[in-house]
Amino acid sequence: MRRKLVIGNWKMNGNRAANSALLSGIVAGLNDFGADCAVCVPAPYLAQCQAQLAGTPVAWGGQDVSVHASGAYTGEVSAAMLVDFGSTYVLCGHSERRAYHGESSALVAQKALAALASGLTPVVCFGETLAQREAGQTEDVICAQLQAVLDAIEPAQVGKLVLAYEPVWAIGTGKTATPQIAQDAHRFLRECVARKDAVAAQGVQILYGGSMKPENAKELMAQPDIDGGLIGGAALKATDFLGIIQAV
Ligand code: 13P
């Protein structure tokens, strides 16, 4: 039985005062929901998460990681630095990084490898644009994005990944994928993983992301291959984030 996992992706939002209120609200409202929960925050706030979340059920992590271990890479944050601040997770290949920073699937695979090598859990993101969906290319696009990662890692590492299906047309638009559309993509991604390792495919958590809210979370989470959510906008309000965790 796969555990459910809900991760808040704060993107480039927050400040120390607002984060403090948000994190205390989340911790205060968490009951024993039987789901895992984490926030992925801008790097400057990792220390704040460590100070406020250590010893609570809420894990934390970064939103991107360098493929390099250290050195002359201005602006980059290494996996070891994320670990230094107690991180558990790091997002790899979010569609905003693919779109605005030109990250290729090959680079995303190297980032996932760097994360794994430091003991972090990479949350590798996949998704098609609206044009790609309308052209009937969804499966080809997400399979190619996933395959780059599967080709780069050892079979024993497959079970250490978290995958996130985030259709680009659903991110920040209020247009959630229907539970059936999301389930079809998740089942397909799991089948792709199974070609590399059938046993690990049954255990790998596949999160859905894209305008998930307390109102639509329950139906999405009820799908057999949806193991949780990667939440953007709704992760910035404790009541909404808790509402989604509760829906699990
Ligand atoms: P929204 O929940 O704001 O649509 O963002 C989803 C997302 O991109 C999470 O990584």
Side-chain angles (χ1 to χ4, degrees):
M1 183 70 183
R2 292 183 296 273
R3 272 180 78 78
K4 299 275 191 201
L5 170 63
V6 179
I7 299 181
N9 172 11
W10 289 5
K11 308 195 178 185
M12 198 174 72
N13 292 294
N15 57 60
R16 276 159 54 92
N19 301 346
S20 176
L22 176 54
L23 294 173
S24 341
I26 293 170
V27 171
L30 267 185
N31 288 316
D32 187 12
F33 292 129
D36 293 327
C37 157
V39 289
C40 284
V41 306
Y45 299 128
L46 287 167
Q48 187 178 17
C49 286
Q50 187 173 34
Q52 245 182 291
L53 297 178
T56 77
V58 185
W60 61 95
Q63 299 175 358
D64 183 32
V65 63
S66 176
V67 300
H68 305 290
S70 65
Y73 302 102
T74 302
E76 299 220 2
V77 173
S78 72
M81 292 171 185
L82 296 174
V83 171
D84 215 6
F85 286 95
S87 300
T88 301
Y89 297 99
V90 64
L91 306 182
C92 296
H94 190 281
S95 64
E96 286 149 17
R97 300 229 36 106
R98 293 180 193 258
Y100 306 144
H101 301 272
E103 291 194 6
S104 66
S105 293
L107 180 72
V108 173
Q110 292 307 308
K111 291 188 170 194
L113 268 182
L116 287 167
S118 288
L120 292 166
T121 298
V123 181
V124 191
C125 306
F126 314 97
E128 81 287 0
T129 63
L130 185 58
Q132 288 164 335
R133 170 159 286 273
E134 287 175 347
Q137 297 166 345
T138 298
E139 292 194 347
D140 288 347
V141 168
I142 61 178
C143 183
Q145 290 172 340
L146 171 59
Q147 197 58 47
V149 177
L150 295 179
D151 287 346
I153 63 176
E154 300 296 327
Q157 292 176 308
V158 177
K160 299 195 168 134
L161 301 173
V162 170
L163 309 182
Y165 172 61
E166 297 206 305
V168 177
W169 47 270
I171 295 178
T173 58
K175 284 189 209 150
T176 319
T178 63
Q180 193 58 54
I181 286 180
Q183 164 57 24
D184 288 348
H186 283 230
R187 194 200 54 235
F188 173 74
L189 285 167
R190 200 177 301 285
E191 284 165 8
C192 297
V193 178
R195 281 184 232 135
K196 174 111 180 175
D197 185 327
V199 176
Q202 286 316 307
V204 76
Q205 290 167 310
I206 309 182
L207 314 183
Y208 168 79
S211 299
M212 197 188 264
K213 304 182 263 291
E215 305 84 66
N216 58 30
K218 198 166 188 166
E219 222 189 331
L220 284 159
M221 304 277 196
Q223 302 303 311
D225 286 293
I226 300 186
D227 306 311
L230 183 54
I231 320 299
L236 299 175
K237 265 180 74 180
T239 46
D240 286 350
F241 192 55
L242 288 166
I244 291 172
I245 296 169
Q246 216 156 0
V248 171

